[in-house]
Amino acid sequence: MKRLRSFITLFLLVVIMESSDSLKVFVGTYGNGILTFQLNATEGFLKEVSKADAKSASSIAVHPNGKYLYSTSELSKGAFESWSIASDGSLKKINSVPSQGDSPAHLSIHSSLKYLLGSNYGSGNFLVYPINSDGSIGQNLFDSTPGKASESVPDRQEGPHAHMIVTAPNGNVVGVDLGADKVFSWNLDVESGKMKENKIPYAQVLSGMGCRHIEFHKALGTAYVINELGNTLDAFRYNSKNGVFTAFQQVPTLPEEFKGENTAGEIRIHPNGKFLYGTNRGGDSIVTYRINQQDGRLKLVGWTSSFGSFPRGMALDPSGKFFFIGNQKGNSIIVYSVSEEGAKLEKISNVNNIEAPVDFAFL
């Protein structure tokens, strides 16, 4: 019996070790297609597994079923692309559909798992596509350009710039428009894929802030927006019943003494919900804020170097133990260990000579 118990214990340890080492890290790049890495979860090193020939894959998303990956092709005549994922993480293209606009900057999968949501930065339109049973992308069902030029920053807000589109906790669809200084909200009919404006159709950010990306905190009923041009983070209450945003705090992404040029980039919340992060492109840093677990207010923890130029992409693995940065101009991926529940980031490894890494997804 003791020998059997020892065998079972050893078997379970092997399974745990194998599962911890099984995380696949997909990296979307502007110049190297979509790369698949294997993460060594013991030491935090990345080993390249494969490369898919994709052009300007600035945004990527893995379907929750683990079978498919979706990517943007951020070109003047843009596209959204679907890929099948092999057991080793290599990708094979299923199909490509026109983005119906210029420079698609973001995509995501709706919480119903039936639709792909997309946004075109250049032309300012938001779209909905069906996801077919074989993982392919169908013909678009919704196409809207609700934003108008803010013109507060003339060379950046000369027109609408749809930068991100995601699902809110209540199933609504939310689109962030840098050119309009607005966060739009729609109700999506899950059966038809059609959308209509929410009763309160948008939340306004301060003029000239240039809202870029958004993250929701489901437990607290809050949402956080990173402003590219203003180098700030806005905190909102989000009412899931009526889809209304109410602003309650704004904090900087940069230290007060910083005087150079900077544009804020990505925003993420740690899986435990206790910390929020934002990237600074120019300041080349990651700002960390502690999230008050009662009222959602942000308290500064500090800044961590990105160890490279222009950190655009950022992500935490599902366990929250590893943090990834893609330095777009530095052509490097930096891996950090995460400790103190998310308060501390410490560099443990890097991958160089990756042309403009900008987004991450995991499986």
Side-chain angles (χ1 to χ4, degrees):
M1 180 64 75
K2 286 184 178 180
R3 185 175 295 178
L4 177 61
R5 280 200 296 265
S6 297
F7 174 78
I8 292 172
T9 301
L10 179 61
F11 174 77
L12 290 174
L13 284 171
V14 169
V15 169
I16 291 170
M17 288 175 66
E18 285 183 350
S19 63
S20 68
D21 269 350
S22 67
L23 185 70
K24 296 178 181 66
V25 182
F26 300 96
V27 182
T29 76
Y30 277 114
N32 279 129
I34 303 171
L35 303 173
T36 304
F37 292 89
Q38 194 80 28
L39 176 69
N40 180 320
T42 304
E43 299 178 341
F45 292 106
L46 291 172
K47 178 183 178 181
E48 186 174 337
V49 173
S50 67
K51 172 184 174 181
D53 185 16
K55 297 184 185 302
S56 296
S58 60
S59 179
I60 60 175
V62 170
H63 194 287
N65 67 15
K67 296 180 179 180
Y68 311 114
L69 180 144
Y70 298 91
S71 64
T72 58
S73 181
E74 192 177 338
L75 303 171
S76 57
K77 292 184 179 179
F80 298 111
E81 300 183 327
S82 62
W83 308 79
S84 62
I85 304 174
S87 58
D88 65 353
S90 59
L91 303 176
K92 181 179 179 181
K93 186 182 290 188
I94 302 173
N95 78 326
S96 177
V97 298
S99 72
Q100 309 296 330
D102 178 9
S103 303
H106 188 262
L107 57 73
S108 64
I109 299 166
H110 186 261
S111 59
S112 67
L113 308 185
K114 296 174 64 175
Y115 302 104
L116 185 73
L117 312 174
S119 61
N120 285 302
Y121 178 84
S123 47
N125 52 327
F126 298 95
L127 305 106
V128 178
Y129 295 82
I131 296 176
N132 298 322
S133 59
D134 64 354
S136 63
I137 306 168
Q139 294 185 343
N140 75 299
L141 302 169
F142 176 85
D143 185 343
S144 178
T145 310
K148 301 287 188 270
S150 166
E151 297 185 344
S152 298
V153 182
D155 62 333
R156 293 297 311 278
Q157 297 182 309
E158 78 296 341
H161 291 303
H163 218 310
M164 187 182 211
I165 184 168
V166 294
T167 310
N170 61 353
N172 275 12
V173 173
V174 172
V176 184
D177 191 323
L178 182 149
D181 283 325
K182 290 178 180 177
V183 179
F184 293 99
S185 184
W186 297 272
N187 301 303
L188 183 141
D189 185 315
V190 176
E191 295 305 316
S192 68
K194 303 293 184 181
M195 296 205 296
K196 63 178 181 179
E197 285 186 347
N198 194 53
K199 189 173 182 181
I200 308 291
Y202 62 84
Q204 182 80 52
V205 303
L206 290 177
S207 181
M209 289 293 101
C211 47
R212 177 185 172 90
H213 281 187
I214 187 169
E215 278 275 274
F216 287 92
H217 195 302
K218 295 179 182 178
L220 296 177
T222 52
Y224 302 90
V225 172
I226 192 163
N227 297 312
E228 176 172 332
L229 306 182
N231 297 311
T232 54
L233 292 158
D234 289 338
F236 294 86
R237 309 275 177 222
Y238 181 71
N239 188 322
S240 287
K241 292 182 178 180
N242 58 21
V244 172
F245 292 86
T246 305
F248 67 91
Q249 187 185 19
Q250 184 177 86
V251 295
T253 66
L254 290 166
E256 188 176 348
E257 63 271 17
F258 182 83
K259 303 302 180 185
E261 292 186 4
N262 187 82
T263 52
E266 188 59 277
I267 180 173
R268 299 290 185 192
I269 292 175
H270 192 280
N272 66 18
K274 296 180 179 180
F275 293 90
L276 178 147
Y277 312 90
T279 61
N280 288 302
R281 300 173 296 174
D284 295 341
S285 65
I286 306 141
V287 63
T288 302
Y289 278 93
R290 186 183 300 273
I291 303 173
N292 185 296
Q293 297 299 289
Q294 276 69 52
D295 62 10
R297 294 185 70 84
L298 301 174
K299 182 178 180 181
L300 180 66
V301 174
W303 287 268
T304 304
S305 173
S306 65
F307 297 98
S309 175
F310 217 74
R312 174 174 168 137
M314 168 181 65
L316 292 111
D317 81 301
S319 74
K321 295 179 180 178
F322 295 98
F323 185 99
F324 300 82
I325 279 287
N327 288 307
Q328 182 179 346
K329 294 182 180 179
N331 296 324
S332 63
I333 299 167
I334 310 298
V335 185
Y336 302 77
S337 63
V338 182
S339 59
E340 298 178 16
E341 296 187 299
K344 185 177 180 180
L345 305 176
E346 187 173 1
K347 178 187 173 184
I348 52 176
S349 70
N350 59 276
V351 182
N352 295 322
N353 302 314
I354 306 294
E355 190 175 347
V358 290
D359 200 18
F360 299 88
F362 304 96
L363 178 61

